[in-house]
Amino acid sequence: MPDYEIIAEDTLTSTAASIDLTSIPATFAHLELILSARSTKAAATTTAGTITLNGLTSSIYQSAGIYSLNSSTPSAFTYNYDTRTQVDNAFRIMNDSMPANTYAAAKIVIPNYANTSVTRKCLLIQSSSASDQTSTWWHSVNVGNVTLSAAINQITLIAESATYPFKAGTSYYLAGWS
């Protein structure tokens, strides 16, 4: 098995309220997900997307991090342990009134995703978006946690809402490495 292997990749050809990565093999040590996202929302801002794992939407998630939004002064956010039904603020989505063909970028790393003795899975998330306007940008580094001893075999990326789905051209790849 290679040290680094693409498990799944795609570019959306139509809108989608979510992206579902299923049948993730438990043959790697770690996962890495790269996302380039844009929504159909007609607003000159960015939007937050969410993540669920293994199709679970019960109160087992938490996220916390630091971000800068249109400012050089960082701010913190926290969503308490085991009170959320998804990882909130998991990645940014560029809205459709931002400059054409501009997408927000995110990198999500999930170490030890297949280790069943690890009962709290951790997602390291880096997400950025910017327009050609110097006053409109977002950058965050945060962590998502989920209480889950099972191996992660499904990752669902969820747009802001079904009303504002991911736009065609949104792309991703999921890779595993040893």
Side-chain angles (χ1 to χ4, degrees), residues 5-133:
E5 182 179 330
I6 302 293
I7 299 168
E9 64 182 318
D10 196 16
T11 299
L12 299 181
T13 57
S14 62
T15 61
S18 63
I19 297 170
D20 206 20
L21 305 166
T22 60
S23 302
I24 299 170
T27 54
F28 301 98
H30 316 291
L31 294 175
E32 178 178 85
L33 176 64
I34 304 294
L35 175 67
S36 178
R38 189 173 177 97
S39 82
T40 63
K41 187 174 187 176
T45 61
T46 63
T47 299
T50 60
I51 294 176
T52 61
L53 302 172
N54 292 2
L56 300 171
T57 56
S58 52
S59 296
I60 58 173
Y61 298 93
Q62 181 266 346
S63 58
I66 190 163
Y67 69 92
S68 290
L69 172 62
N70 304 338
S71 166
S72 59
T73 304
S75 299
F77 65 88
T78 302
Y79 297 100
N80 294 330
Y81 279 106
D82 301 333
T83 61
R84 310 302 294 177
T85 58
Q86 70 278 321
V87 176
D88 295 302
N89 285 311
F91 53 87
R92 294 314 280 186
I93 305 168
M94 188 71 71
N95 290 333
D96 211 30
S97 288
M98 297 297 269
N101 300 315
T102 305
Y103 290 76
K107 177 180 181 178
I108 302 164
V109 177
I110 309 173
N112 299 312
Y113 78 101
N115 187 333
T116 57
S117 65
V118 174
T119 59
R120 183 170 292 280
K121 304 292 195 269
C122 179
L123 293 75
L124 173 63
I125 304 165
Q126 297 173 301
S127 187
S128 297
S129 61
S131 73
D132 57 358
Q133 304 162 359

